[in-house]
């Protein structure tokens, strides 16, 4: 685990994103395998993590697994994890890890929950209502949608992901699918937000989900899998300096790796994982 020069431990956050079969779920298992003395609390919104666990990592026993299928179940399971972690002293808590499998779904669920609870309709129906009621103003300038985003961001950001990073302060591993960065420009403005362009434009592929997820972690890695050659690659999208590392993290583009990603990554960066 990472140690500063003075011997003090500090937790880290990772975001792994990519297209199917690139190894996102395996990265969670590999981190857990390398740290058998801590607990990895997994919130699984995709129902595929367990398949990877049982197929290739059945020997890994430090997983506290929670399956979730909508926003209420996510809140319920997260409350259990919070209660467990908050009961620990900080010195122990910061060594534990929370893994959010397919975090893009949680952002969608938060929006779905707002529409269902506040508007008594599905999110699609709500968006259609905004369009029909205000055909020229639907968007961030519309007062109804502004209220929606304030509440949704409060649930998803303040009470959930930001709570993990700001209050729990344990290790965090997040996975998400990838999609191409849009190059569409409308009325002189890019379709993508500045946050997305600043972080992902050089790579050409972004992580799905809330646009600032990549800013909440220390390390963002784009994973790829070549179906023809059966090879995997990683590209560094973002890396904060690691105290105690032999050298600052250089930018890495499409570095081939086999087996445990973290072993290759730690060797390449000269830093602890």
């Amino acid at each position: 685990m990472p140690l500063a020069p003075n011997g003090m431990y500090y937790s880290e956050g990772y975001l792994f994103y990519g297209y199917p079969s690139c190894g996102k779920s395996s990265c969670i298992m590999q981190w857990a395998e390398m740290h058998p003395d801590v607990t990895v609390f997994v919130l699984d919104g995709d129902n595929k993590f367990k398949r990877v666990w049982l197929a290739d990592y059945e020997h890994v026993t430090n997983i506290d697994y929670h399956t979730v299928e909508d926003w209420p179940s996510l809140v319920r399971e997260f409350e259990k994890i919070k209660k467990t972690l908050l009961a620990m002293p900080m010195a122990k808590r910061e060594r534990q890890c929370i893994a959010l499998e397919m975090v893009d779904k949680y952002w969608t669920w938060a929006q779905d929950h707002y529409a269902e609870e506040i508007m008594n309709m599905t999110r699609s129906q709500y968006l259609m209502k905004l369009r029909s009621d205000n055909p020229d103003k639907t968007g961030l300038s519309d007062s109804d949608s502004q209220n929606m985003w304030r509440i949704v961001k409060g649930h998803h950001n303040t009470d959930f992901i930001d709570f993990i990073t700001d209050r729990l302060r344990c290790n965090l591993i997040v996975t998400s699918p990838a999609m191409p960065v849009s190059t569409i420009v409308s009325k002189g403005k890019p379709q993508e937000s500045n946050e997305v362009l600043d972080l992902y434009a050089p790579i050409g592929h972004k992580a799905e989900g809330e646009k600032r997820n990549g800013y909440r972690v220390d390390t963002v890695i784009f994973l790829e899998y070549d179906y023809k050659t059966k090879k995997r690659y990683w590209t560094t999208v973002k890396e904060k300096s690691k105290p105690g590392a032999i050298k600052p993290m250089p930018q890495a583009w499409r570095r081939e790796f086999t087996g445990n990603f973290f072993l290759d990554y730690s060797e390449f960066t000269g830093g602890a994982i």
Side-chain angles (χ1 to χ4, degrees):
M1 289 186 179
L3 291 173
N6 62 1
M8 183 179 296
Y9 174 81
Y10 67 95
S11 56
E12 287 196 312
Y14 294 89
L15 167 59
F16 295 100
Y17 75 102
Y19 297 96
S21 300
C22 65
K24 300 184 292 293
S25 299
S26 293
C27 285
I28 297 175
M29 296 306 308
Q30 290 164 5
W31 194 95
E33 186 178 37
M34 294 178 67
H35 303 90
D37 56 332
V38 306
T39 300
V40 178
F41 299 87
V42 176
L43 285 164
D44 181 13
D46 194 47
N47 200 31
K48 295 179 181 178
F49 176 86
K50 186 182 291 186
R51 301 178 190 177
V52 176
W53 182 13
L54 297 179
D56 302 318
Y57 297 93
E58 192 174 4
H59 61 283
V60 177
T61 59
N62 56 325
I63 300 292
D64 188 319
Y65 181 74
H66 301 256
T67 182
V68 291
E69 65 276 349
D70 54 21
W71 188 255
S73 66
L74 175 67
V75 171
R76 182 176 63 250
E77 297 305 309
F78 182 54
E79 286 298 321
K80 296 177 184 177
I81 296 172
K82 280 171 54 179
K83 183 178 180 180
T84 300
L85 287 173
L86 289 174
M88 298 179 184
M90 178 61 75
K92 181 178 180 180
R93 186 201 314 163
E94 63 185 0
R95 286 169 166 76
Q96 312 308 308
C97 180
I98 293 179
L100 308 178
E101 178 79 319
M102 293 302 170
V103 74
D104 58 301
K105 292 193 174 185
Y106 309 153
W107 178 234
T108 300
W109 290 345
Q111 298 171 58
D112 291 341
H113 185 65
Y114 172 90
E116 292 166 0
E117 292 294 312
I118 304 299
M119 307 304 297
N120 195 30
M121 60 182 71
T122 67
R123 182 164 58 101
S124 297
Q125 290 171 334
Y126 175 59
L127 294 176
M128 286 292 292
K129 180 181 182 300
L130 288 179
R131 174 63 68 181
S132 61
D133 291 349
N134 302 284
D136 299 323
K137 296 182 179 180
T138 300
L140 293 179
S141 60
D142 178 80
S143 60
D144 285 339
S145 59
Q146 284 186 27
N147 290 333
M148 170 186 172
W149 290 122
R150 278 194 291 267
I151 295 174
V152 169
K153 288 180 179 179
H155 285 321
H156 181 275
N157 297 353
T158 307
D159 298 339
F160 179 48
I161 293 188
D162 291 340
F163 189 92
I164 296 174
T165 57
D166 297 341
R167 293 286 304 280
L168 296 180
R169 298 186 180 182
C170 56
N171 295 288
L172 175 64
I173 301 177
V174 180
T175 70
S176 173
M179 65 183 302
V181 173
S182 174
T183 57
I184 296 176
V185 177
S186 177
K187 297 181 180 180
K189 294 184 178 181
Q191 184 184 60
E192 299 285 9
S193 66
N194 290 332
E195 291 93 339
V196 168
L197 293 176
D198 288 345
L199 189 59
Y200 299 109
I203 306 300
H205 304 270
K206 65 178 181 179
E208 293 192 47
E210 208 277 333
K211 63 185 179 181
R212 292 197 60 81
N213 282 343
Y215 292 89
R216 293 183 168 93
V217 297
D218 306 295
T219 305
V220 179
I221 300 291
F222 176 50
L223 297 172
E224 298 176 86
Y225 178 67
D226 189 318
Y227 285 91
K228 293 182 178 180
T229 63
K230 309 297 183 184
K231 294 181 178 179
R232 286 189 169 90
Y233 303 88
W234 58 265
T235 296
T236 301
V237 179
K238 169 191 170 184
E239 176 62 80
K240 290 185 177 179
S241 298
K242 292 184 177 181
I246 296 173
K247 57 186 177 182
M249 173 62 196
Q251 188 80 340
W253 293 81
R254 301 198 82 238
R255 176 179 169 87
E256 182 183 346
F257 74 100
T258 58
N260 190 313
F261 161 81
F262 288 103
L263 293 178
D264 185 73
Y265 193 68
S266 61
E267 179 181 355
F268 187 78
T269 62
I273 296 299

